[in-house]
Amino acid sequence: MSNFKRATVAGGAPRKDVLGTLREAQILSFKLALPVEILSLVLEFLTPHDQIRFACTSRRMRDMVYDDARWVRKLKLMGCWNEAAAAARKDEATSKRNQARRPSEVKRSGEVLPKGVALNGLNTSISSHPKPRRQSSGFQATATREIKDDGFDFASLSPTVDDYSPVSGPPANNTAALDVLKQARSIRSGSRQEYGRIHNALGPYYRDAVRSKQPASARVFRAYRDPEQQAQMLNQLARFAKADTAEDWESRGRKVEELVEAFEEAMTGELDAGFKAGDVDGRIRKYSRVLVTLNGGRKAVEQFVVQNTIFEESQKIGDPMDCVSPTNPDIIYLIEVQSFFKSLADACNRQIAIAERAFPESVDAITPFLQKVGKDIIDPYVSTLLNCLHERSTESYVRAVSGTYEQALRFTKSLQLGKRQSRKIVAETLNIIILNSFAQHIETYFKEELEFFTRNSDAEVSSWERRMVEQDASLESMFMSSVNRQADKRDFLSSFKKVVMMPVNVLPAFPMSNPFAGGSSRAAASKAIANGENHDSSSQPSSSHPNSRPGTPNTTGSQHPQAIVNQSEAPTTELAAKAAIMKSRLEGIGSLFSLEVALNLVHMAKASIERCAIFTRSITSTQRNSTSNGDSVVTSITEDEDNRRFETEAKAGCEAVFLQLLRTLGTRHVKAGFDQAVQHLSRYNPRAATNNLISTKKDNDVQPAQPGIAVAPLVMFLELVNVGDLIQQMLDVFFEQELVATRLTDRNDFLNPAAKEKKRFEQMLDERVAAGLNKGIEVLMAEVEFIAATTQDAEDYNPGGSAANGAGDEAREKAMMDISTTQTAVRIVEVVSAHTRMLVGSTDKNVLDVFNQEVGLRLFATVCKHLKRQRISVAGSLRLISDTNLYFSYIQTLKNKDLLQYFVALRELVQIYLISPDDAKELAVIIADNDRFKGIFRAEEVYEYAERRADWYQVKGRVEKAMYGIGCVVM
């Protein structure tokens, strides 16, 4: 464009001066009338040929038209641009250029560009075109120039020629045009040339398609006769039309779409004929691949799904009502569900095989087919079955939901998907399809499952409790049925003396080897109790060692300890009946909760959790946002939130069942049993115990203690602790295997409700055991006091004290030679040690240490209290020292150093009874030595123990004089 124009001359004709015209000219500056952004936007509405002609106007316009980003955008619209490949080619070209760099100017297109010309890297021969000459009659370009280097061959420079007019120039190469888009290269600064090559190959067909009035008369159908080649060209024309942004591009795009739709309609008709004829390897395979080449095969896949015969034969595959029992609502025939999914899998496998033969690997025809199978076959079957069972029975409903879902998962695994690249996507889609079929029942199922388990667990515990109450009532009724109240009133005093005044004949002792022994021995004991007779338990056979651990109580709870008592053995007095009832209740302390009930509850919880856990198998493996090749897979469960929601609900359902198990088994069963056991222990009175194998004296000889000494209620409570510990270990194993190992819960999550409830159950069990052990220790010490009070003979520690002088001296001389332990001490140690050993291995070590320490301290207090009741002579002190050493040896087995110090001090204390009366001063020194007793005994307390010497009144004055200085006179 010129930078000057001729100025008008004022006044007359111009002069004849040659330079006058030049002097009279005015220089004007050039400036764009529109901003660059608007000009660039205007260029988008021009055809490619118009853009090239526009580039010839000036260098600035040329730079704007030849901008590489403009032509890259067109290639991207056609899907021919690969950014990664373009970057790789640029790096490779830069590397080669750096290696072959020359100091001279770089030659582009065979010409040396003048310095100062900025082309922004564009390669074109139009920059060397001569400027058109100006003519006084106006601008008219008539020359035509071939532009071969940029791809726009035969581009007319005349402004009157339309870009979409009939083709001028030589025809394009039909063979090269078939793959022109596939052969397009992604080259930076060369995108215009690539587009020009594509435009040169497809432009004639595109312009002809736009101008054709009938689809059949289009040039593409005349140039190509093979349907697959026609589909390939139409696919390229549809993509080429997307890069057309010139004016009236919408109408041209619709014309191309109409042409494609007409061809697709014709090919679909041929495909339908192939489906009707069953020609899989012929027409179906041929025309499905044509449609795949045309637009991805969407229409072919739709025809495959619609024309499939499996949907017409769905009723023959299975009927959901065949699974329902017409007579019993709680019965469901899951074998029918298995048969349905097996038949469906066989039918689907046949159709999948057809799809793999008919469609290429790039097309996923299986996913839409399976989606329709899920919508039209699986959904109605599952909904009909589950809705019917939900109305009939909860048990059959929860079994049907989990069982049907499991069979559906097996159905997905039995499908033979072949070796396609989309196999993984199809498998994931199958899981989503199955979840959609059960989506409306999931929430209802988890609620029903929890209610079903709660109802059954409560019924199990209630049934056991009802059996216990009925047995107690029947036993009490049996005991009281033979009571003659009138005779009992007349004989009340006799019965009172027999039962109350003779407590040793009330309850029989139980061998420690088997405190829950049944059979004839228990029947004989019951008879003896009922009739107020003395039943000698020593006649009962003992099959185990006296110190062995007692057997585990009856866990079933179905056989009451006194259920074997016959009507003929019923008590005859009301007081005897009451005593027999009290004994039966104490014996029944071991059946306050049942291990069999716990096992049944755990099995029910296991079944419920396994049913709930089935719904996590495919949920956790389903990938998020799964889509197939072509159209997206439309499902109701594709988002992350939906996947997490189903997974969370399944795990929450499993945890809810475990929580209910802990509540029912803990609060309802175990806790109540321990509370009753503690109440029974609190009512235990050792003075009312029967036949505790009291040592009797015969001819002044002490009889040896019989084996099997035990406090029956405490033994039973300790066995109850063992059962409780078994239940806790059973729950630990159940929690680890069913919840933690299967990743249904996280034990390390301190906010996890299952872990928190489990810890609460363990804490409750420890509290109840601690309360029972505390009461048990009281009962045990009461038994120890009773043994000490009833079996300790007065002459054990003071031989000859009640005999005549001659006989007493002889007894004392004989006692000086006897250094054995007394039978009382032996029995006390046996009783205490037997009960402490019962807890070994059945409770926590910390609880066991606390229990042993408390038993030792209370035993120490009981022995000290017992010493204050005795008269101890020098001759009897040897046996007292032997008893103390026995206590000390037992405490050593507990391995508690702090507790051992008490009995060390006790051994030092009993030395005061061994001192001769002649050494009263030495006795006083021992009494006043606080360091000797480690601070456990004060001097005043030792003085009180010294008062229990048989010769105290003989040595009292001398001891007090040595301690307090009585009788001294201050001078």
Side-chain angles (χ1 to χ4, degrees):
M1 184 177 292
S2 176
N3 291 332
F4 63 91
K5 69 179 182 177
R6 191 178 303 277
T8 60
V9 180
R15 291 177 296 180
K16 300 297 184 179
D17 189 1
V18 177
L19 300 178
T21 305
L22 183 61
R23 293 191 188 100
E24 294 173 359
Q26 275 184 330
I27 298 177
L28 301 177
S29 61
F30 173 77
K31 185 178 181 181
L32 292 175
L34 294 175
V36 177
E37 292 80 4
I38 296 180
L39 287 176
S40 178
L41 184 61
V42 169
L43 288 176
E44 295 294 333
F45 293 93
L46 299 179
T47 63
H49 288 83
D50 290 339
Q51 292 181 10
I52 295 300
R53 286 192 290 269
F54 182 77
C56 297
T57 59
S58 68
R59 293 179 179 179
R60 185 175 293 185
M61 296 300 105
R62 181 197 62 192
D63 294 344
M64 189 180 299
V65 172
Y66 287 0
D67 185 11
D68 194 60
R70 184 181 309 279
W71 306 100
V72 168
R73 184 162 54 252
K74 289 182 177 293
L75 292 177
K76 286 183 178 180
L77 291 175
M78 291 186 293
C80 301
W81 182 262
N82 189 339
E83 193 68 33
R89 284 192 175 95
K90 182 179 180 181
D91 294 341
E92 183 180 358
T94 303
S95 177
K96 291 181 179 180
R97 185 168 60 250
N98 292 336
Q99 294 176 1
R101 179 177 296 174
R102 294 176 300 174
S104 59
E105 294 181 345
V106 180
K107 297 183 179 180
R108 298 182 180 180
S109 302
E111 298 180 1
V112 179
L113 299 178
K115 295 183 179 180
V117 178
L119 296 181
N120 296 329
L122 294 175
N123 184 16
T124 177
S125 62
I126 298 182
S127 59
S128 60
H129 292 169
K131 298 180 181 179
R133 298 179 180 180
R134 289 186 174 273
Q135 300 178 1
S136 58
S137 61
F139 171 74
Q140 182 177 2
T142 59
T144 302
R145 182 180 180 87
E146 293 184 1
I147 308 173
K148 297 181 179 181
D149 60 336
D150 59 1
F152 295 101
D153 299 333
F154 310 104
S156 176
L157 297 179
S158 176
T160 61
V161 179
D162 188 2
D163 189 69
Y164 299 105
S165 61
V167 179
S168 62
N173 189 349
N174 294 336
T175 306
L178 286 174
D179 298 325
V180 65
L181 293 183
K182 292 182 180 180
Q183 296 174 359
R185 298 175 299 172
S186 301
I187 304 175
R188 296 190 185 278
S189 302
S191 58
R192 180 173 51 82
Q193 287 80 357
E194 289 297 321
Y195 179 81
R197 189 172 59 84
I198 295 173
H199 187 276
N200 185 37
L202 298 180
Y205 297 100
Y206 181 69
R207 292 190 293 271
D208 181 80
V210 171
R211 296 292 184 181
S212 298
K213 296 182 180 180
Q214 296 294 332
S217 62
R219 180 178 178 179
V220 65
F221 298 124
R222 300 194 306 270
Y224 301 95
R225 294 300 181 182
D226 184 26
E228 191 165 356
Q229 291 182 346
Q230 294 173 351
Q232 188 173 354
M233 285 299 298
L234 289 175
N235 177 268
Q236 292 188 124
L237 290 177
R239 294 167 62 184
F240 183 76
K242 294 179 181 179
D244 183 9
T245 59
E247 186 179 1
D248 199 22
W249 60 270
E250 295 93 341
S251 60
R252 292 190 295 274
R254 283 195 295 270
K255 292 289 291 185
V256 175
E257 290 178 0
E258 291 174 0
L259 184 63
V260 172
E261 290 177 357
F263 179 78
E264 185 180 30
E265 186 82 17
M267 294 300 102
T268 303
E270 296 293 337
L271 185 64
D272 289 343
F275 277 117
K276 293 178 181 179
D279 188 7
V280 178
D281 296 324
R283 282 182 288 180
I284 295 179
R285 178 183 177 87
K286 176 181 178 181
Y287 292 107
S288 63
R289 292 177 182 272
V290 170
L291 291 173
V292 169
T293 304
L294 179 65
N295 54 11
R298 179 181 55 85
K299 197 71 174 180
V301 173
E302 290 180 359
Q303 289 300 118
F304 170 73
V305 175
V306 171
Q307 297 292 339
N308 209 294
T309 58
I310 190 175
F311 303 104
E312 300 176 358
E313 301 174 354
S314 59
Q315 294 296 330
K316 299 179 181 179
I317 297 177
D319 186 3
M321 301 311 296
D322 293 339
C323 308
V324 181
S325 174
T327 57
N328 192 345
D330 294 333
I331 295 179
I332 175 176
Y333 304 112
L334 292 177
I335 189 67
E336 297 294 336
V337 179
Q338 181 181 4
S339 176
F340 165 77
F341 281 104
K342 185 177 182 301
S343 300
L344 182 61
D346 295 339
C348 289
N349 285 330
R350 290 192 295 270
Q351 300 302 322
I352 290 173
I354 294 175
E356 291 183 345
R357 289 160 54 190
F359 295 93
E361 293 185 359
S362 59
V363 178
D364 183 12
I366 300 175
T367 298
F369 166 71
L370 293 177
Q371 284 181 321
K372 187 170 179 61
V373 168
K375 182 179 179 180
D376 294 352
I377 298 179
I378 298 179
D379 281 357
Y381 183 89
V382 172
S383 298
T384 303
L385 175 62
L386 297 185
N387 290 334
C388 177
L389 293 176
H390 191 208
E391 297 175 356
R392 289 168 58 91
S393 171
T394 303
E395 180 180 359
S396 59
Y397 175 75
V398 297
R399 290 179 56 208
V401 173
S402 59
T404 306
Y405 185 79
E406 185 176 10
Q407 294 300 326
L409 292 182
R410 294 181 180 179
F411 159 76
T412 62
K413 296 178 182 179
S414 62
L415 294 180
Q416 300 173 1
L417 300 178
K419 298 182 179 180
R420 293 180 173 268
Q421 295 179 354
S422 61
R423 182 175 66 247
K424 183 178 180 181
I425 296 178
V426 174
E428 293 169 355
T429 306
L430 278 172
N431 289 332
I432 296 177
I433 293 172
I434 298 302
L435 285 177
N436 287 335
S437 301
F438 288 85
Q440 58 181 336
H441 301 280
I442 291 293
E443 185 176 356
T444 304
Y445 163 72
F446 288 137
K447 292 181 180 179
E448 294 292 343
E449 185 68 64
L450 181 59
E451 293 179 1
F452 175 71
F453 172 75
T454 303
R455 184 165 56 251
N456 285 353
S457 59
D458 290 341
E460 179 72 19
V461 177
S462 300
S463 175
W464 181 83
E465 292 175 348
R466 186 166 55 254
R467 290 199 305 269
M468 294 296 100
V469 171
E470 291 175 355
Q471 290 177 2
D472 289 340
S474 62
L475 183 64
E476 183 175 357
S477 176
M478 186 270 292
F479 280 147
M480 299 298 294
S481 61
S482 301
V483 174
N484 189 338
R485 297 186 179 275
Q486 295 297 328
D488 184 64
K489 290 181 180 179
R490 292 191 300 267
D491 198 29
F492 175 76
L493 183 59
S494 176
S495 299
F496 180 79
K497 290 181 179 180
K498 185 178 295 184
V499 177
V500 179
M501 300 303 293
M502 300 176 63
V504 295
N505 293 331
V506 176
L507 296 178
F510 297 94
M512 189 170 178
S513 60
N514 189 5
F516 302 98
S520 60
S521 60
R522 185 172 296 172
S526 301
K527 181 177 180 179
I529 294 303
N531 295 323
E533 299 174 358
N534 183 11
H535 174 69
D536 187 6
S537 62
S538 62
S539 62
Q540 299 177 1
S542 179
S543 59
S544 61
H545 193 271
N547 294 329
S548 63
R549 185 180 176 204
T552 303
N554 181 18
T555 60
T556 62
S558 60
Q559 184 177 5
H560 196 276
Q562 292 297 334
I564 57 176
V565 179
N566 297 326
Q567 183 70 23
S568 60
E569 299 171 346
T572 56
T573 62
E574 183 177 1
L575 194 57
K578 295 293 183 64
I581 293 171
M582 181 184 67
K583 172 185 175 296
S584 66
R585 288 176 178 174
L586 288 177
E587 285 184 340
I589 194 174
S591 59
L592 293 176
F593 57 78
S594 172
L595 186 61
E596 183 182 6
V597 172
L599 286 172
N600 293 338
L601 293 180
V602 168
H603 283 304
M604 286 190 290
K606 183 176 183 294
S608 296
I609 290 177
E610 286 179 350
R611 287 194 293 265
C612 294
I614 292 176
F615 292 92
T616 63
R617 293 180 184 176
S618 63
I619 296 174
T620 54
S621 62
T622 301
Q623 299 293 330
R624 300 171 181 175
N625 299 329
S626 60
T627 57
S628 65
N629 296 334
D631 296 337
S632 300
V633 179
V634 182
T635 58
S636 62
I637 308 176
T638 55
E639 300 297 331
D640 295 347
E641 295 181 358
D642 294 328
N643 287 330
R644 287 195 296 268
R645 178 173 63 87
F646 276 94
E647 182 177 358
T648 302
E649 287 183 2
K651 292 183 177 181
C654 298
E655 291 179 351
V657 173
F658 183 71
L659 292 177
Q660 186 60 38
L661 169 66
L662 293 178
R663 295 189 185 104
T664 303
L665 189 57
T667 305
R668 177 81 185 277
H669 193 55
V670 176
K671 181 181 177 181
F674 271 114
D675 291 342
Q676 294 182 22
V678 173
Q679 292 178 4
H680 289 332
L681 283 175
S682 62
R683 291 196 295 265
Y684 176 74
N685 182 9
R687 298 186 180 278
T690 64
N691 196 7
N692 272 320
L693 298 180
I694 301 177
S695 300
T696 59
K697 287 196 298 183
K698 182 178 181 181
D699 297 333
N700 294 329
D701 291 333
V702 179
Q703 300 294 329
Q706 300 295 331
I709 298 176
V711 182
L714 182 57
V715 171
M716 297 174 187
F717 178 80
L718 295 180
E719 285 297 332
L720 204 65
V721 173
N722 292 335
V723 176
D725 182 69
L726 287 175
I727 293 176
Q728 179 179 348
Q729 294 180 14
M730 193 164 51
L731 291 176
D732 289 339
V733 174
F734 179 78
F735 179 75
E736 290 294 330
Q737 293 185 354
E738 298 297 328
L739 294 178
V740 176
T742 55
R743 297 182 181 180
L744 296 176
T745 189
D746 184 9
R747 77 161 74 90
N748 298 322
D749 185 7
F750 67 96
L751 295 178
N752 185 271
K756 290 171 61 177
E757 189 66 26
K758 181 174 175 293
K759 292 180 180 178
R760 191 178 295 112
F761 173 82
E762 295 172 354
Q763 183 179 2
M764 179 275 298
L765 192 61
D766 292 340
E767 290 176 354
R768 292 302 178 275
V769 170
L773 291 180
N774 181 56
K775 184 62 66 175
I777 292 174
E778 295 178 2
V779 172
L780 181 61
M781 292 302 107
E783 183 72 16
V784 169
E785 290 182 0
F786 180 73
I787 292 175
T790 56
T791 63
Q792 189 75 65
D793 193 81
E795 294 188 357
D796 286 346
Y797 300 145
N798 187 17
S802 60
N805 291 334
D809 294 339
E810 183 180 354
R812 282 190 289 274
E813 291 178 359
K814 186 177 180 180
M816 291 296 292
M817 303 299 297
D818 187 8
I819 59 174
S820 63
T821 57
T822 62
Q823 193 63 34
T824 300
V826 172
R827 294 188 60 186
I828 289 175
V829 171
E830 286 181 353
V831 170
V832 176
S833 62
H835 291 84
T836 54
R837 284 198 303 269
M838 290 180 187
L839 287 178
V840 176
S842 64
T843 187
D844 185 69
K845 185 178 183 301
N846 296 328
V847 177
L848 181 62
D849 293 341
V850 172
F851 176 77
N852 291 337
Q853 184 173 4
E854 188 66 22
V855 168
L857 290 176
R858 295 196 186 186
L859 177 63
F860 173 78
T862 302
V863 172
C864 292
K865 182 179 179 181
H866 178 62
L867 285 180
K868 292 181 180 180
R869 297 185 183 138
Q870 305 299 317
R871 279 293 177 186
I872 306 169
S873 64
V874 176
S877 63
L878 295 176
R879 302 196 71 183
L880 177 59
I881 293 173
S882 298
D883 292 350
T884 307
N885 290 333
L886 180 62
Y887 298 141
F888 179 82
S889 299
Y890 163 68
I891 296 300
Q892 278 185 320
T893 61
L894 301 181
K895 298 179 181 180
N896 192 320
K897 295 182 179 179
D898 296 336
L899 181 61
L900 194 62
Q901 296 299 322
Y902 287 88
F903 286 87
V904 170
L906 183 61
R907 291 174 60 184
E908 296 294 334
L909 176 65
V910 298
Q911 300 294 328
I912 64 176
Y913 302 110
L914 189 59
I915 299 175
S916 174
D918 299 334
D919 298 329
K921 185 176 181 180
E922 183 179 355
L923 179 60
V925 172
I926 295 176
I927 294 174
D929 188 2
N930 290 326
D931 296 336
R932 186 183 186 92
F933 305 104
K934 310 294 182 181
I936 296 176
F937 293 107
R938 300 192 306 264
E940 293 80 3
E941 294 176 342
V942 178
Y943 184 83
E944 292 179 2
Y945 287 105
E947 289 178 344
R948 304 311 301 167
R949 288 176 59 100
D951 55 359
W952 173 248
Y953 292 105
Q954 299 177 10
V955 300
K956 178 181 179 181
R958 285 175 289 173
V959 171
E960 291 180 349
K961 181 177 180 181
M963 291 180 61
Y964 308 117
I966 298 176
C968 295
V969 179
V970 179
M971 301 297 296

